Amino acid sequence: MRVVSSVYVLFSILLLSLIMLIIGVFFRHSPKNIVKLFYNSGIFVIICSLLYFYQINNIKPHYNHFLFNNSIYISSSDLIILFFFLILWGISMIITANWIDKIRSLNDNNNNNIINNNKNNNKNFINSHNTYQTPYNNTSNILTFEIPGLLLLCAFILSLLILVNDMMTAYLAIEASSLIMYPIIVCYSESKNKRIYALEGVIKYFIFNGVMSVFYLAGVAMLYFEVNSINILEIESKNFIDNLNTLFLSKDKISLISHIGGLMILISISGKIGLAPLHFWTLDLYQSAPTFVMLFLSSANKIAFVSFFIKIFLSPTFLSFKIHDIIWTLSIISLVIGSLGGIMQSNIKRILAYSTIYNLAFISLIITSYGFRISDNLISSSEFIKHKSIHYTIIYFGAIAMPSFLTLLILEFKTNNTYYNINDIKNIGKSHPFIAFCLTILLLSMAGLPPFAGFIIKFETLQLLLRSEMYWTIGIILITSSISVFYYLRIISFIYFPNTKNYLVDKDKILQSDTNQIKNYNFSEIFLFFATMFNILYIVFWY
């Protein structure tokens, strides 16, 4: 019965998204109704996540079930990931509703001011008030039912990616979710110039994603040629593993095909999640995408993709391919690039992109610890390694990365400005002390400084690597962590200790915006507050 209810929850999201897409094609509604639809859709997704939370508390620890001819595999750990994925997606939709509602109201006010002043032929007054217009002037033209419908459809597809047990089903889920996000990134850009830049970033991502898809399909084809199956858990059966081990020992042509196939799948998935040196699309996408879109891409979307990465490369099949040395190499490259790349950056989003690359390396190192020499029986369990990697993924992307982008979005709520460059955040410690405090805590946590949550998850990773006797890896982590702290502290120094009085944000404008908008957007600030407190108090729960 619990399995049936799990399926009903997912397909209810699919059904609602299809209904909204059909309505959006044949009908047009007022922006106010569409904002309400965003709110209701987010609340609906959160309710669905709570149903999964109820199931998690009422199932056995090692619960598992197969559906749809073994294409879907529902386990207790997958339900945990799905719960956090849906709740983050729902929160992102509610925050997006706040953002769209503000943009709509500001555009309406600006249009009314322009019309009234055109009647009075007061051009000087119009020019003097142009600075109060939102940078998202064209956003209201695309407020349609299709957008929340597409986001719900993307939530359903990524939910399947979390539960998938079939490599071709995973491929379809990855491609479909990417195709949905392409137009949203471009259409919601702040202005015409930004939209062109976003289009450039999306085209780069589209081309790169297509190349990685070719690698993935070629690798799956080679694997199917070897074992006559593309089902992950079926491949993990003893007969298949024994067959693969025999083939590797024989050094024949088929063994080489299997090895190349596993390597191509690794290259493809590593590129899609953004591991270095296949990370270049990540920098352009983070920089060009609107901030509200990054709430989805930097949190729930990453959790779904990384969970599939964990599921694939903790399977006995890929352990037999002996490619964990290559994953370790990619992890070390990501540590170096993630720590050094952000030093010379002045764009905040690109710095956060480098931080994502750096923390993805930690998740990959947790996976590689399973393939290296072990010191106790606890590490030898793949379930234990999977639990540790999932724990790091949820904490970082859900409680650190997403709130970091939320701080930038809240500043946009309050000041009608975009915050892309480090110079843009000068002196917000005085003008917005609460936002500055939250951003500071999140940056310190992201840097891995004690006693915040980011330090705890990195410390647990170091403990795991120490028990795996990966001493050189620990040394590299300590060196790169010391380097990466620099650009986090650099941002904090701009927040509290600006070296110039020519701030890019007008203080009077900020104060006026605070008075008018703070009551309308308190949900985002409440969520940011709890995320910050979680980072501070996580050490208490850890002990």
Side-chain angles (χ1 to χ4, degrees), residues 23-30 34 143-146:
I23 294 175
V25 170
F26 294 101
F27 301 96
R28 286 294 179 267
H29 295 264
S30 65
I34 296 171
L143 290 178
T144 62
F145 267 48
E146 292 94 328

Side-chain angles (χ1 to χ4, degrees), residues 101-149:
D101 192 26
K102 185 198 174 188
I103 300 306
R104 178 193 58 79
S105 61
L106 287 176
N107 285 335
D108 291 343
N109 292 335
N110 288 328
N111 291 334
N112 292 333
N113 289 334
I114 291 174
I115 292 173
N116 293 332
N117 288 285
N118 275 332
K119 292 179 180 179
N120 298 327
N121 294 322
N122 192 347
K123 296 182 180 180
N124 292 329
F125 182 84
I126 297 173
N127 293 331
S128 65
H129 281 71
N130 280 337
T131 56
Y132 289 90
Q133 294 186 16
T134 168
Y136 301 85
N137 289 321
N138 298 320
T139 303
S140 60
N141 296 329
I142 57 170
L143 290 178
T144 62
F145 267 48
E146 292 94 328
I147 302 301

Side-chain angles (χ1 to χ4, degrees), residues 303-340:
I303 289 176
F305 276 69
V306 174
S307 67
F308 178 69
F309 178 81
I310 295 170
K311 178 184 293 186
I312 285 287
F313 295 106
L314 279 179
S315 64
T317 302
F318 286 88
L319 288 175
S320 298
F321 292 159
K322 300 179 181 179
I323 60 175
H324 280 64
D325 290 337
I326 302 176
I327 299 178
W328 179 85
T329 303
L330 295 177
S331 303
I332 298 302
I333 295 174
S334 298
L335 287 174
V336 175
I337 292 179
S339 59
L340 297 177

Side-chain angles (χ1 to χ4, degrees), residues 199-255:
L199 181 61
E200 179 186 353
V202 167
I203 291 175
K204 290 179 181 178
Y205 177 47
F206 176 77
I207 295 173
F208 181 85
N209 192 45
V211 174
M212 292 298 101
S213 297
V214 171
F215 274 83
Y216 181 85
L217 291 175
V220 172
M222 292 180 181
L223 187 61
Y224 182 79
F225 177 79
E226 183 71 34
V227 298
N228 198 28
S229 177
I230 56 175
N231 188 288
I232 297 173
L233 293 182
E234 184 179 339
I235 293 174
E236 291 180 10
S237 66
K238 185 177 184 301
N239 293 333
F240 283 114
I241 298 302
D242 292 341
N243 183 35
L244 285 171
N245 289 331
T246 302
L247 290 169
F248 275 109
L249 290 174
S250 62
K251 302 293 182 181
D252 57 13
K253 184 178 179 180
I254 300 179
S255 175

